[in-house]
C-alpha cells in the first residue's frame, strides 16, 4: 500500500516537473536540448527583410557588415536590399517584404519623412518594423516597434562644445552637412548650432551638403575655399568622417594645413579619421557606433517571441582626440 502510494506520488511529481520546464521545440516538434552559448532555438527559422540606405561611407559599410554577419550567426533567413540612397527603392523593398511575408522588417531610412503610408501597410500585414541606425518622422508611433541607434542631436552638440573650447570661443566655421532630409543630418546640425548658441563669436560662415560621402565632401570644401568667405575659414564641422576626409584633400590641394590652419571635428570614428588624427590632419571625432547587429537581432528575436522591446535603444560613443586616437588605432574594428 505504502509502496503504491510512493510510486503514484513520484509519477505525479515527475509529470509536474516536466510541465513546468518544457524543453525548446523545433519546427518538426522534436525536443531539443540547449547547447551552452548557442542562440536560443525558436519554433521556426526567422525571416528578416532589411532595407539599407546604401554604401556612402566607411561607417555604412561597417554597419551593413555587422548586421549581415549577425544574421548569419543566428541562422536568420536574411533578405538584404541596398536602396542606393533612394526612398522610392526603400518603399518598393518594404512592399516586396510584405509580399514575401517576412517576420520582421529592418529599415535604415534614407530620409526621415514620407513613411506613414508604407508603414501602415506593414502594420496591416502584421509585420513589425525596426528602425535601425536612423529613424522615421511619423505621428503614429505604433508604426514601428523600436528605434535602435545613436543620439544624433547629442553627437552634433558634443562636436560644437568641443570646437568652441578648442577655438577659445572664436571661429569662422565651414559646415559639411549629411544627406538632405536624413535625421542624422538634421539632428546633428541642430545639436551643433545649439551648442554654439552661447558663443557669439563662433560663426557658421558657410554650410552645404556633402551627402555623407568623401567625394562630395572634397568637392564642396574646394568650393568653400574658393568662395569669397573662404579665406576666413579656420574651422570645419563635417557631419561625418568621410566628408571630413574628403575636405582634408581639398584643404591640402589649396596649399593649407588641415588640422592646423583649419581645425577639423567630425562624427563617426572610422579608421581613416584615426589615421588622419595620428598624422596631425584632423583634430577630433565623435564616435557613432555602427556595429549594432547584435542589438538589432536581440530585438528581432524578442519581437518574434512576443516579448516587449524598448521603444528607443540608444547606442553610445566616445570622443577621440589625436592622443586617444594613437592609442586606439590598432584595435579599431571599422
Ligand atoms: O546615419 C548614420 C550616418 O550615416 C553616419 O554618420 C554616416 O557616415 C552615414 O552615412
Amino acid at each position: 500500500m505504502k509502496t503504491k502510494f510512493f510510486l503514484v506520488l513520484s509519477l505525479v511529481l515527475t509529470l509536474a516537473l516536466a510541465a513546468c520546464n518544457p524543453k525548446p521545440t523545433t519546427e518538426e516538434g522534436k525536443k531539443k536540448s540547449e547547447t551552452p552559448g548557442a542562440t536560443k532555438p525558436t519554433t521556426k527559422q526567422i525571416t528578416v527583410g532589411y532595407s539599407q540606405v546604401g554604401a556612402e561611407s566607411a561607417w555604412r559599410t561597417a554597419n551593413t557588415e555587422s548586421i549581415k554577419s549577425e544574421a548569419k550567426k543566428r541562422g536568420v533567413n536574411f533578405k538584404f536590399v541596398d536602396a542606393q540612397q533612394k526612398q522610392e527603392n526603400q518603399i518598393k523593398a518594404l512592399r516586396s517584404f510584405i509580399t514575401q511575408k517576412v517576420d520582421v522588417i529592418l529599415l535604415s531610412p534614407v530620409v526621415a519623412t514620407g513613411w506613414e503610408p508604407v508603414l501602415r501597410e506593414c502594420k496591416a500585414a502584421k509585420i513589425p518594423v525596426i528602425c535601425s541606425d536612423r529613424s522615421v518622422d511619423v505621428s503614429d508611433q505604433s508604426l514601428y516597434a523600436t528605434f535602435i541607434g545613436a543620439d544624433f542631436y547629442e553627437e552634433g552638440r558634443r562636436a560644437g562644445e568641443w570646437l568652441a573650447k578648442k577655438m577659445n570661443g572664436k571661429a569662422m566655421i565651414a559646415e559639411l552637412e549629411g544627406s538632405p532630409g536624413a535625421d542624422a543630418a538634421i539632428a546633428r546640425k541642430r545639436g551643433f548650432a545649439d551648442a554654439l548658441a552661447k558663443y557669439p563669436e563662433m560663426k557658421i560662415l558657410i554650410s552645404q551638403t556633402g551627402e555623407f560621402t568623401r567625394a562630395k565632401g572634397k568637392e564642396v570644401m574646394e568650393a568653400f575655399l574658393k568662395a569669397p568667405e573662404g579665406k576666413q575659414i579656420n574651422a570645419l564641422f563635417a557631419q561625418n568622417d568621410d566628408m571630413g576626409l574628403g575636405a582634408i584633400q581639398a584643404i591640402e590641394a589649396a596649399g593649407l594645413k588641415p588640422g592646423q590652419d583649419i581645425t577639423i571635428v567630425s562624427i563617426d570614428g572610422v579608421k581613416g579619421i584615426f589615421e588622419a588624427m595620428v598624422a596631425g590632419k584632423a583634430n577630433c571625432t565623435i564616435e557613432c557606433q555602427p556595429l549594432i547587429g547584435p542589438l538589432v537581432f536581440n530585438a528581432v528575436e524578442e519581437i518574434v517571441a512576443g516579448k516587449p522591446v524598448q521603444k528607443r535603444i540608444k547606442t553610445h560613443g566616445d570622443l577621440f582626440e589625436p592622443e586617444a586616437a594613437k592609442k586606439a588605432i590598432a584595435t579599431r574594428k571599422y
Side-chain angles (χ1 to χ4, degrees):
M1 188 64 193
K2 225 176 179 184
T3 329
K4 234 184 194 174
F5 171 75
F6 280 116
L7 266 176
V8 172
L9 187 68
S10 78
L11 187 67
V12 168
L13 277 173
T14 315
L15 286 173
L17 270 173
C20 291
N21 193 17
K23 293 226 176 86
T25 310
T26 61
E27 197 170 12
E28 303 80 39
K30 288 178 198 147
K31 298 277 180 194
K32 219 183 178 187
S33 59
E34 267 173 320
T35 318
T39 2
K40 203 169 33 126
T42 51
T43 47
K44 71 173 184 75
Q45 189 186 29
I46 300 173
T47 298
V48 172
Y50 180 30
S51 173
Q52 172 65 295
V53 172
E56 70 282 6
S57 62
W59 187 99
R60 185 66 55 196
T61 306
N63 178 245
T64 297
E65 176 48 34
S66 169
I67 291 179
K68 277 187 173 171
S69 64
E70 195 64 27
K72 195 166 174 207
K73 202 162 129 195
R74 299 194 190 207
V76 169
N77 178 21
F78 191 56
K79 298 168 187 298
F80 178 84
V81 181
D82 179 335
Q84 301 186 342
Q85 313 295 325
K86 290 200 177 89
Q87 184 180 35
E88 68 212 61
N89 290 346
Q90 296 203 287
I91 293 173
K92 225 187 273 167
L94 262 54
R95 290 197 170 124
S96 116
F97 295 151
I98 294 174
T99 310
Q100 294 173 68
K101 295 187 176 18
V102 302
D103 297 301
V104 176
I105 289 172
L106 305 181
L107 171 65
S108 299
V110 177
V111 292
T113 55
W115 293 104
E116 304 235 1
V118 71
L119 289 182
R120 270 198 293 272
E121 291 169 37
C122 297
K123 192 176 174 186
K126 296 192 171 33
I127 302 176
V129 175
I130 294 177
C131 294
S132 171
D133 160 44
R134 294 184 188 168
S135 191
V136 289
D137 186 359
V138 287
S139 52
D140 178 359
Q141 302 303 308
S142 76
L143 291 177
Y144 66 94
T146 178
F147 163 35
I148 303 170
D151 182 338
F152 298 131
Y153 175 88
E154 185 55 14
E155 290 172 346
R157 199 198 59 73
R158 286 168 85 190
E161 274 297 341
W162 179 88
L163 191 62
K165 290 215 170 77
K166 180 79 178 171
M167 304 300 287
N168 296 316
K170 191 173 177 182
M172 292 297 196
I173 307 161
E175 180 182 32
L176 285 168
E177 298 172 28
S179 317
D183 63 340
I186 297 166
R188 284 173 182 169
K189 186 175 179 66
R190 243 187 337 110
F192 186 72
D194 284 356
L196 298 195
K198 53 180 187 285
Y199 302 95
E201 292 188 274
M202 293 290 291
K203 297 215 162 71
I204 302 175
L205 271 188
I206 196 161
S207 184
Q208 203 182 303
T209 178
E211 293 167 8
F212 279 138
T213 70
R214 193 185 281 223
K216 196 77 186 167
K218 179 171 182 257
E219 185 188 313
V220 175
M221 192 66 199
E222 273 164 8
F224 280 174
L225 292 170
K226 284 184 191 141
E229 54 273 75
K231 289 213 163 26
Q232 300 176 64
I233 297 170
N234 63 357
L236 169 70
F237 169 44
Q239 288 185 6
N240 83 344
D241 290 342
D242 275 64
M243 292 189 295
L245 289 165
I248 288 172
Q249 294 176 329
I251 294 167
E252 285 180 322
L256 296 168
K257 290 200 170 84
Q260 293 179 37
D261 297 324
I262 298 181
T263 300
I264 301 174
V265 59
S266 54
I267 296 174
D268 274 357
V270 302
K271 214 167 192 162
I273 207 75
F274 274 60
E275 286 159 2
M277 280 197 280
V278 171
K281 297 181 182 184
N283 308 84
C284 179
T285 187
I286 314 292
E287 184 181 45
C288 176
Q289 185 52 257
L291 309 178
I292 57 175
L295 280 181
V296 166
F297 283 98
N298 284 347
V300 166
E301 288 181 356
E302 274 160 16
I303 288 168
V304 171
K307 293 184 188 156
V309 282
Q310 284 173 9
K311 196 79 191 178
R312 177 72 169 104
I313 299 170
K314 263 190 210 175
T315 58
H316 299 279
D318 289 327
L319 181 153
F320 291 90
E321 293 179 307
E323 272 314 304
K326 258 179 226 159
K327 287 186 194 135
I329 195 163
T331 55
R332 268 331 263 175
K333 291 206 177 73
Y334 65 99

